[in-house]
Amino acid sequence: APKDKWKKCPKCQSKIRDNTKSYDGIDELLKKLKEQKVKTAVVSNKADYAVQTLVKKYFDGLFDYAVGEKQGVRKNLPPKK
């Protein structure tokens, strides 16, 4: 499975973390939102296992929900007709 392959591949893990950081002030904003009981989420087109890892590493406890690409979850909205 891709998830298992990623876990065993330090180069893959490093690549996923490339260019990952929060914008200036975002940590403070997320903490204030958490204090005010505002629900927050991450929705990404990265693979779900990568999203879960990155949210845990960089934003542990600051988001209520995080989801990335996985089977059964669309990467983007369907086109308007």
Side-chain angles (χ1 to χ4, degrees), residues 11-33:
K11 184 178 178 183
C12 298
Q13 292 177 26
S14 176
K15 183 173 170 44
I16 285 175
R17 287 190 298 268
D18 285 354
N19 301 317
T20 300
K21 65 176 188 151
S22 60
Y23 292 104
D24 291 340
I26 196 69
D27 294 334
E28 294 80 12
L29 174 62
L30 289 169
K31 288 174 186 172
K32 286 181 183 178
L33 291 171

Side-chain angles (χ1 to χ4, degrees), residues 3 6-7 16 42-44 46-61 63-70 73:
K3 181 177 182 178
W6 180 81
K7 282 183 172 181
I16 285 175
V42 172
V43 179
S44 175
K46 286 187 179 189
D48 187 64
Y49 55 85
V51 172
Q52 301 305 322
T53 300
L54 293 169
V55 167
K56 176 90 171 142
K57 178 175 177 62
Y58 294 102
F59 305 105
D60 194 25
F63 286 100
D64 298 292
Y65 187 73
V67 66
E69 179 188 5
K70 61 184 175 181
V73 177

